[in-house]
Amino acid sequence: MLPDKRPVLFLSAIALLLTSLTACANSPNSKNLEQSLAADPQLQENPVTLGQPVTNTNTQQNQTQVQLPGDFPSEIPRYPNATLKEVTQQDASQLTRWTSGDPTNIVQSFYQKEFQNNNWEIVSQPTAEDSSLVARRNDLQVTVNIRPAPTNIATPSPNQTTATTEFTITYTRNSSVTATATPTPSPSPEVAKDPTPSPEPVTSTNTESQVFADINNAPKELQSYITDLAQLGVLTPNPAAKTNPSNTSTEFAPNKIISRRDYASWLVATNNRMFANNPAKQIRLANSSSQPAFQDVPPSHPDFGAIQGLAEAGLIPSPLSGDSTAVLFRPGAPLTREQMILWKVPLDIRQSLPNASVDAVKQTWGFQDVGKIDPKALRAVLADHQNADVSNIRRVFGFTTLFQPKRPVTRAEAAATLWYFGTQGEGISAKEALQLKRIANE
C-alpha cells in the first residue's frame, strides 16, 4: 500500500503561501490586504453592545438643535420644562413652537401667572372656543396657544420622552401696538375725565344706545341684562378691537374675561348713568392734577379718571384707604369674582361693610370654599347676602355652593352685576333707568 501524500502536500502549500507573503511584505498588495482585514474604525470609536440598536451617527449629526432667534424678547417668559421645536417667520410676527412633558393646565397656569405678576396687560384669556392667551406689554404683543400634543402612532424608543403638551408663542413688535397700549403723555382735563380707554370704538360715556351682534352667545339668563345696559350706552365692545383702531366691530364678546380696568370703567359709568338725576350718589372722576393712588395708573392712563375716582372715594383697596400693599392696580389683569363683589356691593348698600367671619359667611351662603375668600372680600360677600334675590351673586351665578373667589369673571357676568344698584326694595335697575331716559328725551 502506498503511503498517503495529502499531509505532505498540505504542508507544502502552507509553506509556499508564507513564503509569498514574506516576499511581498513591503509591496502595495500586502498593504491592501492588511487594510481589508483591519477592524472597522467606526466600531473602534463606537463599540456596539450585543442586543442594543445601532445608532446612525450621520442621522444624529443631521438632527441639529433648534435655536431661538437672536432677537427673541427677553421679557417673554420661557417655560422651564419645554423644548424648542421650530421657529417660523409669519409676516411681521415670529412664531416659535415648543413641546413639554407636563400637562396643558400646568403650562397654561405658568403663563397666566407670569403675565399677571410682571405687569402684562391680558388682552384675551383662553376659552372653550379659543385656547389663545394674548398679552401685551409696551410695544410687544404675545399670543400663547396651548393644546395637547398630537398622538404619535409610532412606538417611541425606550429613551424617548413623550410630549403631552404642544404650544406656540407668537410675538410682534410694531408701532401700532405702541400707539394703542401707550396713552399720550399729556392729556387734556377732558381726556382725563373720560373713564373709557381711548382705543375703544364706543366709549362708556356714550349716550347713544349700543347694538351688539353677539349677545346671543351669552348665557341665556344674562342676555337681557346686557341688552338693557347696551341701550344705556355704558358698555364697550370686544377689547380685541383695540389692536385695530379702525375696527368698528359690534362684537361684545360676552364670554371673554374682563380686565380690572374695563370693569372699573363700566362700574363708574353705569353708577353715574343710573343716578343721573341724583348727584349725591355719583362717583366724582379724578382730574389729571390728582396724585396717583397706584404706581401703574398715572394721570396719562386712559382710565385714570375712573380708577383714581374709585380709589379717592374709598370704593377699592388702595393706599388712600389704608391698604399699603395695594400700590399697584394691575389694570390689565383679569377681574376675579371676589374683587367684583368687593367693588360693587358698597355702591349697593351705601354704607360701611359689616364685620364678617368665615363662619358667618359659611352659615349664610353655605359656600364650601369660603376659606379661600380674601378677608377683605368676606365683608362684601356677607353684605351681598342681605340683599336676598337682588344680590349680585344670585343674579349672576344663580344657586351655587361654590363661590370660586379667584375665578376670572366674564364680560357677561360683569355686566349682570351692573344691571341693579341698591338694596331690596330700594334701588334702581337698568330697565328703570331706560324708562327715565326716554321720559327725559320726550
Side-chain angles (χ1 to χ4, degrees):
M1 179 180 294
L2 296 175
D4 191 352
K5 297 181 178 182
R6 284 179 292 183
V8 177
L9 292 175
F10 180 71
L11 294 174
S12 299
I14 294 176
L16 180 60
L17 177 60
L18 293 175
T19 302
S20 300
L21 292 175
T22 303
C24 60
N26 297 322
S27 66
N29 292 334
S30 66
K31 293 181 180 181
N32 293 337
L33 178 62
E34 179 182 357
Q35 292 175 357
S36 65
L37 296 176
D40 188 346
Q42 292 186 357
L43 293 178
Q44 291 177 342
E45 297 175 359
N46 302 288
V48 177
T49 304
L50 293 178
Q52 297 293 330
V54 179
T55 303
N56 189 330
T57 58
N58 293 332
T59 303
Q60 288 181 336
Q61 293 174 356
N62 293 334
Q63 294 178 347
T64 57
Q65 184 177 4
V66 181
Q67 298 292 329
L68 274 176
D71 61 348
F72 187 84
S74 59
E75 55 263 51
I76 298 180
R78 303 185 199 176
Y79 190 71
N81 189 27
T83 302
L84 179 63
K85 292 297 183 181
E86 181 183 4
V87 176
T88 307
Q89 181 72 32
Q90 294 184 343
D91 297 330
S93 62
Q94 193 94 352
L95 180 144
T96 58
R97 184 172 62 86
W98 309 72
T99 60
S100 174
D102 295 337
T104 56
N105 63 319
I106 300 297
V107 179
Q108 180 173 304
S109 176
F110 169 82
Y111 277 98
Q112 288 177 325
K113 290 181 179 178
E114 286 295 313
F115 285 140
Q116 293 175 16
N117 294 338
N118 291 281
N119 297 327
W120 288 75
E121 177 185 358
I122 306 298
V123 177
S124 175
Q125 289 275 9
T127 63
E129 298 81 13
D130 186 1
S131 59
S132 298
L133 171 63
V134 183
R136 185 166 53 221
R137 182 176 174 183
N138 298 328
D139 65 338
L140 179 62
Q141 180 158 309
V142 178
T143 301
V144 182
N145 195 310
I146 305 172
R147 58 187 179 276
T151 305
N152 188 4
I153 300 176
T155 303
S157 61
N159 296 327
Q160 180 178 354
T161 301
T162 303
T164 60
T165 300
E166 180 177 287
F167 63 96
T168 59
I169 299 177
T170 307
Y171 59 94
T172 307
R173 285 191 189 273
N174 55 53
S175 57
S176 63
V177 174
T178 304
T180 299
T182 306
T184 55
S186 300
S188 63
E190 288 76 17
V191 174
K193 291 182 181 180
D194 183 0
T196 307
S198 55
E200 296 285 3
V202 181
T203 64
S204 62
T205 55
N206 177 27
T207 58
E208 299 296 329
S209 299
Q210 300 160 318
V211 178
F212 296 115
D214 58 347
I215 293 180
N216 290 338
N217 294 338
K220 184 177 179 180
E221 298 80 7
L222 308 182
Q223 292 177 13
S224 62
Y225 302 140
I226 302 172
T227 300
D228 289 344
L229 291 167
Q231 292 180 16
L232 273 179
V234 295
L235 302 179
T236 52
N238 183 359
K242 294 178 183 179
T243 59
N244 185 1
S246 63
N247 188 358
T248 57
S249 172
T250 57
E251 291 185 355
F252 178 66
N255 298 317
K256 283 189 174 296
I257 302 302
I258 189 170
S259 66
R260 289 164 56 93
R261 63 178 286 186
D262 283 345
Y263 186 71
S265 173
W266 291 6
L267 181 63
V268 173
T270 308
N271 176 84
N272 291 354
R273 187 65 51 80
M274 292 279 203
F275 300 103
N277 298 324
N278 190 349
K281 290 188 176 181
Q282 292 183 357
I283 300 171
R284 300 295 187 265
L285 302 181
N287 57 53
S288 58
S289 63
S290 298
Q291 179 66 31
F294 303 104
Q295 298 176 5
D296 53 354
V297 186
S300 58
H301 192 283
D303 289 318
F304 177 78
I307 297 172
Q308 180 75 13
L310 288 170
E312 292 182 352
L315 295 170
I316 58 176
S318 76
L320 298 178
S321 61
D323 192 339
S324 58
T325 62
V327 295
L328 295 177
F329 180 72
R330 298 183 298 120
L335 180 77
T336 64
R337 290 185 172 185
E338 64 182 5
Q339 291 166 354
M340 178 177 67
I341 299 301
L342 178 61
W343 297 2
K344 171 60 168 48
V345 170
L347 289 171
D348 289 325
I349 63 175
R350 304 282 169 169
Q351 60 184 13
S352 300
L353 294 172
N355 294 328
S357 64
V358 171
D359 290 338
V361 174
K362 190 171 185 179
Q363 291 176 4
T364 53
W365 281 107
F367 292 143
Q368 303 176 41
D369 53 356
V370 65
K372 298 179 181 179
I373 302 175
D374 186 276
K376 293 189 294 291
L378 275 175
R379 301 167 63 193
V381 172
L382 181 61
D384 193 50
H385 183 271
Q386 298 173 0
N387 271 346
D389 291 340
V390 297
S391 68
N392 297 280
I393 293 176
R394 289 190 176 97
R395 182 165 62 256
V396 179
F397 308 118
F399 174 78
T400 177
T401 62
L402 289 175
F403 181 51
Q404 302 180 74
K406 305 299 189 288
R407 180 173 175 174
V409 177
T410 68
R411 289 165 59 85
E413 292 169 343
T417 63
L418 304 176
W419 185 83
Y420 185 88
F421 280 76
T423 58
Q424 190 175 30
E426 186 178 351
I428 183 172
S429 67
K431 187 176 292 294
E432 293 169 336
L434 281 173
Q435 294 173 355
L436 296 176
K437 178 183 176 182
R438 295 189 186 101
I439 294 174
N441 293 333
E442 291 179 354

